[in-house]
């Protein structure tokens, strides 16, 4: 390979780079039509409230059914959607669809929707939400927007102003993946989040180190003092659940209770709630 460095090596790599770029360009074109062609869908994963012993919300999780590549994970196309601005119409579709589905659920069950940074910074977000709520009749406090810490790095003032404006609609705001980004306690003080979602990486460490338990305890204590709920992400075992309950976590989300499920299975899971409660006790 070393011999191919210089011009020859460059040419050697060029076709591959081209192929990468081409693949990306094709994905972009495909994604552009994904909404129109009905290739996007939502899955719903329950958040189980430990003190109420019942499901209190579902998180809407986006899926792309590509005709050739099959099911594509949001981790693999949200970044592309962000870079191209396609996240704006896609995010709008997600909000409308999530509100439509949730409007049929029992009143105590909320819907959580992920809002990515580009989508959050887009001027139309507020009116999209207002319209979706109006069309579906979903009560604003049943819609929870999940945003990430990264929003506070680029433009903290604008982020706070938008958050307050959205909160003015009556919707709830959760801080997603807490602890992974540039974590600063100052924005917890500057905005009254309804909920902190503790990132899965901390939950994974729970059974391995006492340090992880101490971190969970400090987050739940802090959240409680600030009047915020806490959700633990990615709970996969009874052992993790025990610790989280002990440390005062309000809600649990993860494969231990349920993987993300399609819309048609939500009611069955709600009725099976008793079974879930037994799992949690
Ligand atoms: P997230 O918001 O942190 O969502 C949680 C992710 O963890 C989901 O992955 C979920 O399926 C997964 N998960 C839940 N429980 C467990 C568990 O017990 N174990 C493991 N290993 N994983 C678990 P998913 O659906 O692949 O979504 C990944 C990310 O893509 C989301 O992370 C979110 O950041 C983004 N995303 C998903 N849907 C949307 C959307 O509609 N809009 C935007 N902007 N982003 C979205
Ligand atoms: Mg989320
Ligand atoms: Mg999350
Ligand atoms: Mg996460």
């Amino acid at each position: 390979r070393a011999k191919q460095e210089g011009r020859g090596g460059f040419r050697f790599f060029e076709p591959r780079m081209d192929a990468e770029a081409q693949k990306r360009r094709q994905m972009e074109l495909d994604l552009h039509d994904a909404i129109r062609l009905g290739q996007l869908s939502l899955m719903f994963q329950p958040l189980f409230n430990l003190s109420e012993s019942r499901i209190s919300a579902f998180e809407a999780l986006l899926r792309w059914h590509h005709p050739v590549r099959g099911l594509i994970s949001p981790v693999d196309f949200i970044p592309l959607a962000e870079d191209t601005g396609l996240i704006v119409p896609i995010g709008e579709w997600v909000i409308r669809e999530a509100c439509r589905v949730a409007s049929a659920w029992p009143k105590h069950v909320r819907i959580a929707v992920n809002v990515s940074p580009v989508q959050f910074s887009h001027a139309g977000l507020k009116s999209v939400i207002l319209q979706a709520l109006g069309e579906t009749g979903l009560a604003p406090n049943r819609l929870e927007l999940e945003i990430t810490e990264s929003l506070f790095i680029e433009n903290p003032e604008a982020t706070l102003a938008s958050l307050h404006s959205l909160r003015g609609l009556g919707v709830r705001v959760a801080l997603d993946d807490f602890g992974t980004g540039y974590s600063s306690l100052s924005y917890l003080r500057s905005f009254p989040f309804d909920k902190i979602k503790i990132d899965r990486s901390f939950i994974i460490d729970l059974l391995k180190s006492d340090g992880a338990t101490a971190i969970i305890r400090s987050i739940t204590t802090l959240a409680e003092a600030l009047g915020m709920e806490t959700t633990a992400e990615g709970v996969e075992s009874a052992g993790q659940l025990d610790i989280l309950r002990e440390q005062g976590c309000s809600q649990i989300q993860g494969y231990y209770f349920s993987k993300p499920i399609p819309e048609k299975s939500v009611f069955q899971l709600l009725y099976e709630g008793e079974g879930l409660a037994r799992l949690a006790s």
Side-chain angles (χ1 to χ4, degrees), residues 34-53:
I35 303 179
R36 189 173 51 79
L37 297 174
Q39 294 169 357
L40 298 183
S41 71
L42 294 180
M43 294 286 270
F44 301 90
Q45 189 181 33
L47 278 71
F48 190 83
N49 187 300
L50 289 175
S51 58
E52 297 172 0
S53 279

Side-chain angles (χ1 to χ4, degrees), residues 176-177 180 198-200 233:
D176 203 356
D177 302 335
T180 51
I198 308 168
D199 191 67
R200 189 167 80 88
E233 294 185 327

